[in-house]
């Protein structure tokens, strides 16, 4: 990838459960770019996800609309990234079921299903023997592993970078944005990745990059960040939301040496601890690794990636 311009990203859609790229050769370029645009299926209604991102950080009102509000008071899933503009709710499937408005939990499942189609198509494309898919993804390809959903709000009053430079930690991310600010590292520059109506951005994570780095078709996990964004007074704040497919925290990350030869490289826990410390540099260094307290007794994997 020498030049990555927003307009040049590959585009794809999912038809009958199959990932189809608009351009011939589109998938190969997408794997090399580390990201592509994916059409939002016509039947998918994003309104609840947009509303949740606009409201989760607001104070409860004491009325029936409060199911979307008050998440700053949920330390088990709310993260104030003190060194950045972003604050987010990050919830696995179990936490969503128990705390999210049901339509947001359903949307997260639908986005996760899209990410699974992308993951399977990618493993197929890079030629990994299907008998190894479950092992090398820690079951994520079979809808086990960890399936995060993040809702992000960028606090306009903060004079900070929007979100830390990072690679996503897992396999596949399906991200929804409506605002400028996302940037991808291309050589030594940050290149804007603009939102396009009716499309998600899909990007690949570090677990998939590690898995494929010795194969003839390695997948790139693109380094990205969100620059400082300052909406005009009274204008809408920047928000985003995303579904992530990650390996389970109790497992290992693998590297393929040939299509049929997978070797464990590092524990997921070690990988995430290193990521959390390097990326966020805050008090959540064991995020996604330590067992949560209170009613949320089973935090799964994390690291997270919040754009
Ligand atoms: Fe990210």
């Amino acid at each position: 990838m020498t030049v990555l311009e927003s307009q040049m990203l590959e585009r794809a859609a999912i038809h009958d459960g199959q990932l189809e790229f608009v351009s011939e050769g589109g998938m190969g370029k997408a794997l090399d770019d580390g990201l592509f645009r994916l059409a939002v299926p016509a039947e998918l209604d994003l309104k609840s996800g947009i509303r949740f991102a606009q409201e989760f950080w607001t104070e409860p009102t004491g009325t029936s609309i409060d199911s979307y509000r008050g998440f700053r008071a949920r330390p088990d899933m709310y993260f104030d990234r003190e060194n950045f503009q972003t604050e987010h709710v990050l919830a696995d499937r179990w936490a969503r079921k128990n705390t999210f408005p049901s339509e947001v939990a359903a949307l997260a499942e639908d986005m996760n299903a899209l990410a699974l189609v992308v993951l399977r198509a990618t493993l197929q494309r890079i030629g990994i023997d299907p008998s190894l898919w479950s092992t090398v993804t820690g079951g994520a390809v079979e809808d086990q592993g960890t399936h995060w959903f993040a809702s992000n709000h960028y606090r306009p009053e903060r004079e900070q970078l929007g979100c830390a430079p990072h690679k996503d930690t897992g396999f596949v991310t399906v991200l929804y944005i409506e605002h400028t600010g996302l940037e991808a590292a291309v050589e030594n520059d940050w290149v804007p990745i603009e939102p396009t109506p009716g499309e998600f951005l899909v990007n690949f994570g570090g677990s998939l990059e590690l898995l494929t780095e010795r194969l003839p078709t390695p997948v790139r996990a693109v380094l990205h960040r969100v620059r400082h964004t300052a909406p005009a007074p009274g204008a809408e704040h920047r928000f985003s939301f995303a579904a992530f497919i990650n390996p389970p925290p109790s497992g290992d990350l693998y590297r393929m040496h040939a299509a049929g030869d997978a070797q464990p490289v590092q524990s997921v826990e070690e990988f995430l601890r290193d990521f959390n410390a390097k990326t966020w540099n805050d008090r959540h260094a064991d995020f996604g690794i330590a067992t949560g307290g209170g009613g949320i007794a089973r935090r799964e994997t994390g690291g997270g990636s919040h754009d």
Side-chain angles (χ1 to χ4, degrees):
M1 182 171 61
T2 53
V3 176
L4 176 68
E5 292 178 10
S6 242
Q7 305 86 320
M8 296 175 62
L9 291 180
E10 294 300 323
R11 297 192 138 86
I14 293 174
H15 297 295
D16 298 326
Q18 300 296 314
L19 180 65
E20 296 175 5
F21 280 82
V22 171
S23 306
E24 198 174 333
M27 187 162 192
K29 181 167 178 298
L31 299 185
D32 189 44
D33 287 346
L35 73 171
F36 65 92
R37 299 189 190 277
L38 178 68
V40 176
E43 67 276 13
L44 201 61
D45 187 346
L46 301 175
K47 280 201 297 288
S48 66
I50 293 168
R51 179 180 164 194
F52 189 65
Q54 291 172 328
E55 294 188 10
F56 76 80
W57 46 277
T58 60
E59 291 294 320
T61 62
T63 71
S64 60
I65 65 171
D66 280 353
S67 62
Y68 281 74
R69 294 168 169 258
F71 278 79
R72 280 180 176 165
R74 299 288 316 222
D76 51 330
M77 66 183 65
Y78 171 78
F79 295 86
D80 166 9
R81 296 299 180 184
E82 60 204 51
N83 300 314
F84 302 94
Q85 282 185 291
T86 188
E87 60 179 336
H88 39 246
V89 164
L90 191 55
D92 64 18
R93 180 172 278 152
W94 185 85
R96 295 195 295 268
K97 188 165 177 291
N98 286 284
T99 64
F100 276 26
S102 59
E103 57 274 21
V104 182
L107 174 61
E109 290 304 311
D110 289 341
M111 289 174 66
N112 177 68
L114 299 177
L116 269 178
V117 171
V118 173
L119 177 57
R120 293 191 184 111
T122 303
L123 295 173
Q124 181 86 40
R125 166 64 183 239
I126 57 188
I128 295 179
D129 190 318
S131 67
L132 292 172
W133 287 7
S134 183
T135 301
V136 300
T137 65
V141 74
E142 291 160 339
D143 211 19
Q144 298 160 13
T146 305
H147 302 275
W148 290 110
F149 180 81
S151 186
N152 310 299
H153 170 235
Y154 290 80
R155 294 165 286 194
E157 68 276 14
R158 296 213 170 187
E159 294 295 329
Q160 295 169 314
L161 196 59
C163 169
H166 67 279
K167 295 180 178 184
D168 289 2
T169 55
F171 297 105
V172 172
T173 303
V174 174
L175 170 72
Y176 181 73
I177 56 173
E178 290 188 358
H179 306 85
T180 60
L182 180 63
E183 298 178 326
V186 180
E187 296 170 354
N188 291 320
D189 282 329
W190 288 108
V191 175
I193 305 294
E194 303 296 348
T196 48
E199 292 182 314
F200 291 118
L201 276 166
V202 173
N203 62 288
F204 301 106
S207 299
L208 194 60
E209 184 172 65
L210 179 66
L211 180 68
T212 62
E213 66 184 8
R214 304 265 170 93
L215 293 177
T217 311
V219 180
R220 180 191 301 267
V222 70
L223 182 68
H224 55 282
R225 70 175 189 179
V226 178
R227 65 172 169 76
H228 173 75
T229 54
E236 183 177 74
H237 300 180
R238 190 179 194 278
F239 67 82
S240 66
F241 54 90
F244 307 90
I245 298 183
N246 274 57
S250 55
D252 291 317
L253 294 178
Y254 285 79
R255 183 188 286 131
M256 304 294 302
H257 294 270
D261 177 17
Q263 302 292 332
V265 176
Q266 186 180 27
S267 73
V268 174
E269 176 176 341
E270 185 184 3
F271 176 73
L272 292 178
R273 200 174 289 284
D274 190 40
F275 172 89
N276 288 342
K278 279 186 188 159
T279 302
W280 301 111
N281 189 30
D282 63 18
R283 65 186 184 280
H284 305 301
D286 66 349
F287 165 69
I289 300 163
T291 300
I296 308 292
R298 48 178 293 279
R299 299 306 294 271
E300 296 179 350
T301 188
S305 8
H306 322 287
D307 314 310

